[in-house]
Amino acid sequence: MTQKVFEGKVVGKSVAKIDSLSLALGKPLFTDDKSFKDMVYVKMLFSPHAHAEIITIDTTEAEKVPGVLGVLTYKNASQVLHTTAGQGYPEPSVYDTRMFNKKVKFVGDSVAAVAAESIQIAEKAIQLIKVEYKVLEPIFNWDEALGNPIIIHDEEEAGYLIPVFYDSKNNHVAHIDALVGDIDQGFKDADILVEKIVRNHYAQHCPLEPHVSIAYFDENDRLVVRSATQVPYHARRIIAQVLDLPIAKVRVIKPRIGGGFGSKQEIVTDLIAASFTLQLKRPVKLEYSRREEFISARTRHPMTTRLKAGVKKDGSITAMDMRVTSNTGAYGTHGLTVLSNTGSKTLPLYHCDNIRFIGDTVYTNLPIAGAYRGYGGTQAALAMEIVMDELAIQIGMDPAEFRLKNHIKPGETSPIFKVLGEGTEGVEQTIDSCGLSDCIKQGANAIGWWSREDHKEKFNTETKKRGFGLACIMQGSSIPHIDMAAAYAKMNDDGSFNLLVGATDIGTGSDTVLAQIFAEVLNLDIESDIVVLSSDTDITPFDKGAYASSTTYLSGMAVKNLAEKIKKQLLDYAAEQMDLPVNELELVGKTVFHLKTKKSMSFAEIGTKALYTENQQQIGAVASELSKKSPPPFCAHFAEIEVDIETGKVRVLKYVAAVDCGTPINPKLVIGQTEGALVNGLGYALSEHYYFNAQGRMLNPSFGNYKIMTTTDLPEIETIIVKTYEPTGPFGAKSIGEPNISGPMPCLSNAIYDAIGIRITEPPYTPDRILKAIKDHQQVM
Amino acid sequence: MKQLQEFIYPNSIEEALSFLDESTEIIAGGTHITVSKNQSFKRLVDITRIGLNYIKKEDHQVRIGSTTTVTEMIESSIVRKIGNGILTKACQLIADTPLRNIITLGGNIARYYPWAGLPVVLLVIDAEIIIVDKEGLEQTISATKYFKNAKVKTGEIIKEVVFPVQSDWFYRYEKFALTTVDYSWLTMAFGAKNEGGSIVDPHIAVSRITKVTRVSEVEKLLEGKELSKLNINEVIQTLRTSVNVVSDYRSSKEYREHLLGILFKRMLNEMKEEGK
Amino acid sequence: MALEIEVIINGQQKVLTIEPYDLLIDVLRREGYKSVKRGCSEGTCGTCTIILNGRAVKSCILLAAQAHKGSIVTVEGIGTRDQPHPLQQAFVEEGAIQCGFCIPGIILSAKALLDNNQSPTKEEVKQAMDGNLCRCTGYSGQIKAILSAAAMMRGEK
Ligand SMILES: Cc1cc2nc3c(=O)[nH]c(=O)nc-3n(C[C@H](O)[C@H](O)[C@H](O)COP(=O)(O)OP(=O)(O)OC[C@H]3O[C@@H](n4cnc5c(N)ncnc54)[C@H](O)[C@@H]3O)c2cc1C
Ligand code: FES
Ligand code: FES
């Protein structure tokens, strides 16, 4: 089936990102690039213990240090229970967090904060805080957390605002049980059953700009927080909530952000900076160091995922049973929603009538997991794609053919869409756009899939074995019926527009994409006619923020609605001015044009007249959007690798990602999103890893020892864009930010299997682990 | 580093020496000085402006001044001749470009850094380290002797390193790490002469998995052995037992021992191949 | 004890009063060169990269005192909005900039390379960038941009 594609004037073009020249010139655009007079600096004291009760905490010596301005601990900071998850309200995350706690729950938990005239003074004072701990026994293994006699959270009042399961007495943060069809019958109908247990590991987002907030009072004594955040509106709400301020007294400004990937969907540094500002009435800065990012910011939920599936000899899948134990670490932020996403972002990908999903999220005394690009999909895709590979191999079908046969197609639905949403039930939807078949076919050609056996034979040596792997991934676009986006625009004298969006550009290029959508409707030039301002809670309209793959799809739709409204205003205004019937007018270039009479009125004329002389009014509008579905983007990943069977080293030689994001509004940005995510995914699969000691302390909290990929680690990478058209999205667009991070982990596992015949189910695929697997395998044989 | 009160720019070795005392530290590239915690020195003496930045070719040997940067060594065609290119290779595998632009030869060997790339090279090439002591007297110390302590004494300056150019030798260098820019998991170097198919004067040095050292047991075992008749398994076994391999959190003792054997086996096989 | 250092920053002669323990990154940011970014303070991310005496170096692991009598280039000094440096232009055109936090450092690493090597290979470009992490892009746009800027600078574009 050939699908419709959209070719626009501006949409579909790789226009330069509107902020990119300023960034290349090194302009002071980021949170910490603005200088403040009388700045106060904050340093945190973090718990050295994974689980301990604070018996006494003595800050007198610290307070005596000249230049120390204040110390916060659980004794004097706000004790409002909240969640640090920047989500819609009421949040689907448990309220189990206080700014500081009497009981610390992981190495890195906040114990105290010192504000001082300089960072050195604050650092010195931190060392003088005397804390006596009663060390408690910790839980580190998430598979042993449920029902463990050690109880991590003992707050009486902790709980969710929404009616969902929570049982802190058993360390049980979330539970989901969903069933469609008849799972037992499904397994009975199968010719072959495959069951795998996979375990993914801790990892960090590593935005190059750490969390940083600068809080200050403006001239009207309102609290302003300049913050590296993905969620300015949620940040404003949570600051107001925890510090007991009216929302109207708080302003959050998001400047340019140095990457987020989910980590800045969390309120990490805002509350402490703001608390000190309230106390000291001075600008206060809290910036995490890289080490603090690793130990105390957020991470990816490690999980144990068990997937059992049955297949008939003809390749049809009869049943899938997925069981997930998700480790949320010491606090439950995103604990429920990441869990539900594991199922909802993987199970609909393949035809199957009988599906069971049971998931549990548990507390442990390890770092806090939160939102991370892929958001559960990454974890479950590891299990899903390994099992699909194995099913295909067991029935003697090519893994690519197997996926081509089974993947969801346009016009189809999955029962999972309804039963699994984000935290709550989901929303039924049919797939209107899916280019996965083309992704698989084009990707296979690009990697040389069909001739891989010859290729392997040609290059294999005694010690080095080649292998090919494949993985298919889906995600969603926005959270339907929950998250709202809005945009506002006004016309200026010269026919240019200010476009004010709540959508939060954290480096993704969303300001540019939204400008392209706006320009497409109104025939504008991106560079000269549109000034975009994003995410300042005093100025721009509301938007849920940068998460859930919703900016292009949902905020984009809000901008399209907005542009349509303005287009109507322009036509009405010109009709009245030119005295012509509005239905005979159209936009041609930057004019309103009447074909019959060839009369026209330029935007500049309209802009000037409307503001100064005729039928005076502000041309402008506000518009919003609430999505009704969450159309998945799809991608197919292929890898060619080489395993050194003597050292265990895995080298990725070539990697192909074929992606379907509907209409690529800006193809170069699509490639950037794809490759940025997949290189992060490759690092996660191969080298990114939290090493803990026996006391739960991370041993490698630095880029020197936590290895993300650099240029010289890259394989040859090829990105293929498969265009489709999503009728519910702006000009046919869906999302692309997330799915590509989820491909490498299963894709490389499958490639390793292809190379050496061993299934590795516990990444990262470091040389020592691969070698151990090889040796274990040899012993069994 | 708040205790630091003074930063001195001497113009000569003598002047630099005159400032050295218990509360003074030498700074060359500064890449370690700036990141290391727990420092107590009050004064830093910058030795990068005292004429120690040079690469000099002499008959059969090369002198490299201690403040020569890693990048300068990589770019030098003279250095490429040392150890048939292993010094160049080792330099290329140190840290990353902007760091290589400041890390100095002297700074890489003056203190013991387990991950340091150059000590094993100095060991297998029989380099000599020229140290100037408090009185301004030059001492020449063989790398083998120097790395027994692997630390220059307070008050002394490493002036230069002298590398013999032995182009008829076989040399190999290996840094095994997780990614290209990473602290090494295992560093090793090997040098020997191939005389009519036999191994002569073998030098083996390893670091990271143990404190940097030559492995004399294996050197003895290999001395005079015919490559074609070499019992490689025996060699590897001896190597694994003679090196006191310690584990660290990245990889176990067992894995590192295994790796040590595999990497050395490959070097020996390459020597065999090359000799053919 | 404060000391004075003489430096040339982006062509301008300056005398700066510093403490011996001041890091170069802190002094540069204090002097208003905010393009010098702090991503780690440990010499591992490359966002603080500047050019010192013709070489790309990481300003977070250098003491400001070490730059005495040296010549420093930051990204503010290599181009303007009307006349961007070919590298700045190529990075914009190739879509090589996402969040932009790594970009000043990467552009300077690239500039140091191109100033010494007019026609680098792709491998040489990768090598020159190996100390500059970028978490957003996956690097390939940046590698293309540097090669394209090199062509521009050779007058081929
Ligand atoms: C992030 C990072 C990664 C690194 N990775 C690697 C790697 O992979 N491989 C590797 O080999 N190295 C690596 N290094 C470098 C290594 O750790 C040291 O920092 C470096 O070798 C020090 O050299 P320097 O010239 O900067 O010395 P400095 O920091 O100036 O000095 C180091 C020490 O040596 C003393 N010293 C210096 N020169 C002399 C001299 N001529 N005489 C007497 N004493 C002297 C100083 O007093 C000081 O105690 C890395 C460094 C960093 C920061
Ligand atoms: S801040 Fe200097 S390398 Fe990261
Ligand atoms: S563009 Fe964001 S880190 Fe490079």
Side-chain angles (χ1 to χ4, degrees):
Chain A
M1 188 176 91
T2 48
Q3 299 185 37
K4 179 180 166 190
V5 294
F6 179 82
E7 294 292 346
K9 293 168 294 236
V10 198
V11 160
K13 302 282 181 299
S14 292
V15 301
K17 211 161 139 284
I18 54 178
D19 52 352
S20 57
L21 183 57
S22 299
L23 290 165
L25 293 169
K27 299 288 179 193
L29 297 164
F30 294 87
T31 302
D32 191 31
D33 291 350
K34 206 168 157 316
S35 302
F36 290 83
K37 258 187 82 177
D38 291 331
M39 184 95 95
V40 174
Y41 300 84
V42 179
K43 201 75 199 161
M44 303 279 298
L45 176 66
F46 295 109
S47 166
H49 302 294
H51 199 190
E53 190 88 41
I54 298 176
I55 305 295
T56 58
I57 179 161
D58 179 358
T59 59
T60 40
E61 289 304 311
E63 280 163 59
K64 277 190 208 148
V65 176
V68 167
L69 301 164
V71 181
L72 283 175
T73 67
Y74 76 89
K75 290 182 181 167
N76 58 349
S78 159
Q79 284 293 294
V80 173
L81 263 180
H82 62 283
T83 173
T84 56
Q87 297 177 302
Y89 184 85
E91 297 98 332
S93 282
V94 60
Y95 279 26
D96 63 359
T97 307
R98 292 191 169 94
M99 286 179 65
F100 300 92
N101 293 283
K102 191 167 184 321
K103 187 172 143 184
V104 289
K105 302 178 190 74
F106 73 107
V107 178
D109 210 348
S110 305
V111 173
V114 172
E117 296 288 352
S118 79
I119 199 77
Q120 287 85 1
I121 297 173
E123 270 165 8
K124 189 173 163 201
I126 279 293
Q127 287 164 15
L128 298 175
I129 298 177
K130 290 195 203 84
V131 193
E132 193 189 328
Y133 296 97
K134 179 178 162 218
V135 177
L136 305 170
E137 207 182 316
I139 306 176
F140 295 138
N141 185 344
W142 53 92
D143 290 321
E144 292 166 5
L146 269 192
N148 197 303
I150 300 165
I151 297 173
I152 296 173
H153 275 266
D154 51 11
E155 307 88 1
E156 286 291 310
E157 325 82 273
Y160 287 84
L161 296 188
I162 56 171
V164 291
F165 174 90
Y166 180 65
D167 177 13
S168 60
K169 299 272 173 300
N170 285 300
N171 301 311
H172 206 167
V173 182
H175 176 73
I176 297 171
D177 191 337
L179 176 67
V180 293
D182 183 338
I183 190 85
D184 295 332
Q185 191 57 45
F187 283 125
K188 274 189 208 132
D189 292 345
D191 293 322
I192 281 169
L193 295 179
V194 166
E195 181 170 357
K196 294 280 168 205
I197 298 173
V198 308
R199 235 169 173 250
N200 69 281
H201 52 299
Y202 263 104
Q204 227 258 339
H205 316 66
C206 304
L208 286 192
E209 175 201 43
H211 285 84
V212 52
S213 311
I214 299 175
Y216 56 96
F217 277 116
D218 69 8
E219 300 74 11
N220 300 311
D221 294 326
R222 287 172 71 240
L223 177 70
V224 185
V225 182
R226 200 176 146 87
S227 175
T229 180
Q230 293 177 226
V231 284
Y233 291 88
H234 299 331
R236 178 180 67 171
R237 189 190 72 236
I238 294 170
I239 292 166
Q241 170 196 15
V242 176
L243 303 183
D244 194 20
L245 298 165
I247 283 187
K249 285 274 183 207
V250 183
R251 174 179 183 185
V252 174
I253 299 174
K254 173 218 72 95
R256 292 289 101 191
I257 302 302
F261 317 109
S263 70
K264 292 173 183 166
Q265 198 194 333
E266 289 278 325
I267 312 307
V268 173
T269 47
D270 296 333
L271 290 170
I272 290 168
S275 297
F276 276 125
T277 293
L278 294 180
Q279 232 180 57
L280 304 168
K281 312 277 186 286
R282 280 173 63 177
V284 176
K285 176 168 96 180
L286 172 55
E287 180 185 19
Y288 266 15
S289 69
R290 186 52 57 188
R291 180 176 169 274
E292 292 165 346
E293 279 289 311
F294 278 113
I295 66 161
S296 192
R298 302 295 177 265
T299 62
R300 186 185 289 291
H301 288 80
M303 296 186 189
T304 303
T305 309
R306 202 186 90 197
L307 179 61
K308 183 176 166 190
V311 69
K312 284 197 174 148
K313 287 207 176 100
D314 68 357
S316 40
I317 303 166
T318 58
M320 293 197 278
D321 186 355
M322 183 182 273
R323 307 285 167 104
V324 176
T325 303
S326 170
N327 167 21
T328 191
Y331 295 91
T333 169
H334 295 275
L336 170 63
T337 38
V338 166
L339 178 69
S340 53
N341 247 29
T342 58
S344 70
K345 297 295 181 274
T346 52
L347 293 167
L349 185 53
Y350 300 106
H351 299 142
C352 183
D353 293 331
N354 309 306
I355 304 176
R356 170 133 212 190
F357 175 83
I358 299 179
D360 295 290
T361 302
V362 300
Y363 288 124
T364 61
N365 295 106
L366 287 171
I368 310 170
Y372 190 162
R373 200 176 202 176
Y375 205 81
T378 308
Q379 289 92 325
L382 176 62
M384 181 61 104
E385 291 304 298
I386 288 178
V387 167
M388 290 303 123
D389 216 55
E390 186 70 34
L391 289 177
I393 289 167
Q394 295 243 355
I395 59 165
M397 202 175 197
D398 184 277
E401 296 286 6
F402 182 78
R403 286 170 173 90
L404 282 169
K405 173 183 162 67
N406 281 304
H407 83 74
I408 195 166
K409 311 280 183 325
E412 294 176 351
T413 184
S414 161
I416 286 294
F417 288 133
K418 171 133 184 22
V419 297
L420 272 182
E422 292 226 1
T424 51
E425 273 206 352
V427 173
E428 243 173 293
Q429 62 174 356
T430 21
I431 297 295
D432 290 322
S433 62
C434 174
L436 185 53
S437 288
D438 284 336
C439 290
I440 296 173
K441 288 176 196 157
Q442 294 184 31
N445 287 340
I447 200 91
W449 181 259
W450 304 113
S451 54
R452 64 189 188 280
E453 292 307 328
D454 292 344
H455 185 86
K456 276 157 55 180
E457 196 157 318
K458 196 162 133 207
F459 287 98
N460 278 352
T461 67
E462 282 277 296
T463 56
K464 306 231 167 111
K465 306 292 178 199
R466 296 274 172 117
F468 285 77
L470 155 65
C472 294
I473 306 292
M474 63 171 273
Q475 196 78 20
S477 310
S478 80
I479 311 175
H481 297 299
I482 290 190
D483 280 334
M484 192 274 280
Y488 163 75
K490 65 183 172 64
M491 190 182 208
N492 299 314
D493 328 22
D494 59 352
S496 69
F497 287 86
N498 291 103
L499 174 61
L500 282 67
V501 294
T504 305
D505 191 336
I506 53 170
T508 52
S510 64
D511 285 359
T512 306
V513 163
L514 297 177
Q516 281 179 270
I517 291 169
F518 192 71
E520 183 70 33
V521 177
L522 294 169
N523 293 344
L524 301 171
D525 276 347
I526 296 275
E527 268 184 48
S528 53
D529 303 334
I530 308 174
V531 181
V532 183
L533 179 73
S534 62
S535 353
D536 174 333
T537 59
D538 264 14
I539 298 170
T540 59
F542 180 88
D543 188 295
K544 79 280 154 226
Y547 61 86
S549 283
S550 50
T551 309
T552 298
Y553 178 73
L554 176 66
S555 310
M557 213 52 202
V559 168
K560 183 153 182 284
N561 297 343
L562 169 69
E564 304 280 3
K565 273 192 183 172
I566 290 177
K567 180 174 173 183
K568 181 160 183 313
Q569 288 180 10
L570 292 173
L571 294 174
D572 285 345
Y573 185 88
E576 194 249 10
Q577 290 297 307
M578 298 196 286
D579 201 12
L580 288 165
V582 70
N583 57 7
E584 290 176 12
L585 296 177
E586 55 187 323
L587 297 192
V588 173
K590 282 179 252 183
T591 65
V592 178
F593 185 69
H594 188 243
L595 186 64
K596 283 190 206 149
T597 61
K598 300 272 185 299
K599 274 196 196 165
S600 71
M601 194 173 180
S602 74
F603 287 3
E605 223 180 319
I606 295 175
T608 308
K609 285 202 168 135
L611 291 181
Y612 299 112
T613 52
E614 313 291 330
N615 183 13
Q616 278 165 268
Q617 58 179 280
Q618 172 68 63
I619 304 235
V622 61
S624 48
E625 179 75 14
L626 179 75
S627 53
K628 283 143 208 92
K629 53 184 278 193
S630 181
F634 297 94
C635 54
H637 283 195
F638 292 84
E640 181 189 350
I641 63 152
E642 182 183 85
V643 183
D644 183 330
I645 57 169
E646 285 186 326
T647 63
K649 192 147 190 170
V650 176
R651 207 154 66 92
V652 183
L653 303 168
K654 179 157 183 180
Y655 203 91
V656 176
V659 302
D660 154 26
C661 60
T663 299
I665 304 261
N666 186 320
K668 276 198 176 144
L669 290 179
V670 169
I671 293 172
Q673 283 296 313
T674 301
E675 296 185 356
L678 81 83
V679 169
N680 185 161
L682 284 171
Y684 184 44
L686 292 169
S687 57
E688 296 183 29
H689 189 197
Y690 271 51
Y691 292 96
F692 293 103
N693 71 2
Q695 288 75 44
R697 183 168 65 83
M698 185 194 187
L699 294 168
N700 58 328
S702 69
F703 283 144
N705 293 308
Y706 178 97
K707 297 318 294 182
I708 76 176
M709 283 194 152
T710 184
T711 47
T712 40
D713 297 312
L714 297 179
E716 182 191 341
I717 293 173
E718 185 177 338
T719 297
I720 299 166
I721 299 178
V722 170
K723 288 187 192 172
T724 63
Y725 187 87
E726 171 53 46
T728 63
F731 298 108
K734 300 186 278 192
S735 72
I736 192 59
E738 296 192 81
N740 290 290
I741 200 170
S742 307
M745 205 160 53
C747 186
L748 297 190
S749 176
N750 291 340
I752 293 168
Y753 180 79
D754 188 51
I756 58 173
I758 301 172
R759 287 263 170 225
I760 313 270
T761 51
E762 290 198 23
Y765 314 127
T766 53
D768 51 329
R769 285 165 174 251
I770 299 295
L771 193 79
K772 182 165 184 307
I774 293 172
K775 290 204 160 157
D776 290 349
H777 187 74
Q778 281 163 351
Q779 264 161 25
V780 179
M781 305 252 303
Chain B
M1 240 196 279
K2 277 257 165 172
Q3 77 298 334
L4 182 60
Q5 289 165 4
E6 236 185 318
F7 194 100
I8 314 271
Y9 306 95
N11 291 311
S12 65
I13 290 203
E14 296 72 37
E15 198 188 339
L17 284 169
S18 71
F19 286 107
L20 298 183
D21 59 29
E22 288 300 328
S23 61
T24 304
E25 184 85 335
I26 290 166
I27 180 165
T31 60
H32 187 73
I33 296 274
T34 46
V35 297
S36 59
K37 315 244 151 44
N38 323 317
Q39 298 152 324
S40 54
F41 50 84
K42 297 204 168 63
R43 182 158 73 178
L44 279 176
V45 175
D46 185 343
I47 58 160
T48 60
R49 302 153 200 249
I50 59 173
L52 295 181
N53 193 322
Y54 52 81
I55 299 171
K56 286 186 200 152
K57 171 110 186 61
E58 297 172 353
D59 292 350
H60 310 299
Q61 61 182 29
V62 176
R63 286 178 188 275
I64 306 183
S66 70
T67 63
T68 308
T69 65
V70 174
T71 300
E72 286 161 347
M73 290 192 276
I74 293 171
E75 289 172 353
S76 159
S77 57
I78 299 172
V79 171
R80 226 160 291 147
K81 300 215 169 67
I82 298 171
N84 288 333
I86 67 161
L87 179 56
T88 305
K89 180 174 178 191
C91 285
Q92 283 165 335
L93 295 174
I94 287 177
D96 57 42
T97 301
L99 286 168
R100 287 189 291 268
N101 287 342
I102 27 179
I103 296 171
T104 64
L105 169 61
N108 203 251
I109 60 172
R111 298 278 177 274
Y112 172 62
Y113 307 121
W115 53 84
L118 301 185
V120 292
V121 177
L122 269 61
L123 282 171
V124 301
I125 298 192
D126 275 332
E128 288 175 333
I129 297 156
I130 315 289
I131 293 176
V132 188
D133 70 14
K134 283 194 189 97
E135 278 70 50
L137 298 176
E138 287 191 12
Q139 302 168 28
T140 303
I141 305 178
S142 74
T144 309
K145 186 161 173 234
Y146 177 83
F147 287 113
K148 292 222 163 88
N149 300 316
K151 193 168 185 294
V152 45
K153 290 196 213 75
T154 307
E156 299 184 338
I157 295 177
I158 298 177
K159 182 185 165 207
E160 60 185 11
V161 179
V162 183
F163 294 90
V165 178
Q166 297 165 315
S167 38
D168 53 340
W169 279 49
F170 172 88
Y171 287 110
R172 280 296 179 274
Y173 175 84
E174 188 74 51
K175 170 186 170 184
F176 190 91
L178 193 52
T179 62
T180 51
V181 176
D182 189 10
Y183 296 111
S184 145
W185 281 28
L186 190 164
T187 310
M188 82 182 291
F190 174 48
K193 257 186 298 185
N194 181 344
E195 283 186 0
S198 294
I199 302 173
V200 173
D201 204 4
H203 286 52
I204 306 161
V206 297
S207 70
R208 184 59 165 177
I209 53 169
T210 189
K211 189 163 174 246
V212 59
T213 180
R214 276 178 67 171
V215 192
S216 50
E217 291 89 334
V218 182
E219 292 175 354
K220 275 184 210 128
L221 179 71
L222 286 177
E223 180 65 56
K225 287 269 156 55
E226 257 181 78
L227 274 161
S228 58
K229 293 188 188 146
L230 202 61
N231 180 344
I232 289 190
N233 281 337
E234 182 201 0
V235 177
I236 290 179
Q237 270 321 315
T238 313
L239 179 61
R240 284 176 179 153
T241 48
S242 23
V243 177
N244 177 24
V245 176
V246 293
S247 68
D248 84 349
Y249 66 80
R250 297 150 173 257
S251 54
S252 64
K253 178 170 152 60
E254 292 68 38
Y255 179 73
R256 294 166 144 216
E257 277 173 353
H258 170 83
L259 195 59
L260 178 66
I262 293 296
L263 297 181
F264 192 54
K265 178 181 90 179
R266 290 182 177 181
M267 290 178 176
L268 285 173
N269 282 335
E270 282 173 34
M271 186 172 185
K272 234 195 251 180
E273 285 300 305
E274 225 170 73
K276 274 185 192 156
Chain C
M1 234 184 353
L3 70 152
E4 282 189 345
I5 56 168
E6 292 163 31
V7 281
I8 298 170
I9 307 181
N10 298 330
Q12 271 185 304
Q13 184 81 48
K14 302 216 166 190
V15 178
L16 304 177
T17 306
I18 59 159
E19 294 295 336
Y21 48 78
D22 280 342
L23 294 168
L24 185 53
I25 184 177
D26 294 328
V27 171
L28 288 171
R29 285 187 62 84
R30 188 164 76 211
E31 291 296 312
Y33 302 95
K34 303 280 189 186
S35 71
V36 184
K37 299 280 179 257
R38 187 197 319 278
C40 73
S41 303
E42 303 170 328
T44 48
C45 76
T47 58
C48 66
T49 305
I50 56 156
I51 296 179
L52 175 63
N53 301 330
R55 302 270 192 197
V57 300
K58 291 173 172 173
S59 61
C60 72
I61 49 161
L62 283 172
L63 293 172
Q66 287 177 269
H68 179 46
K69 300 233 163 98
S71 172
I72 289 172
V73 179
T74 73
V75 103
E76 285 100 338
I78 69 168
T80 61
R81 197 170 296 281
D82 298 331
Q83 273 190 307
H85 187 279
L87 277 162
Q88 291 167 320
Q89 196 185 326
F91 268 66
V92 169
E93 284 167 6
E94 286 297 335
I97 301 174
Q98 286 188 35
C99 80
F101 203 77
C102 66
I103 294 298
I106 292 188
I107 287 183
L108 291 172
S109 280
K111 181 172 188 298
L113 170 72
L114 299 187
D115 288 348
N116 293 311
N117 180 354
Q118 285 199 337
S119 312
T121 61
K122 192 172 167 184
E123 281 315 307
E124 286 170 328
V125 170
K126 282 185 175 182
Q127 201 72 52
M129 290 166 71
D130 67 353
N132 296 87
L133 298 177
C134 173
R135 192 59 153 174
C136 299
T137 67
Y139 306 103
S140 67
Q142 302 174 344
I143 296 167
K144 267 192 218 134
I146 295 169
L147 290 168
S148 152
M152 263 188 244
M153 288 163 77
R154 292 193 301 267
E156 289 164 18
K157 269 197 178 174

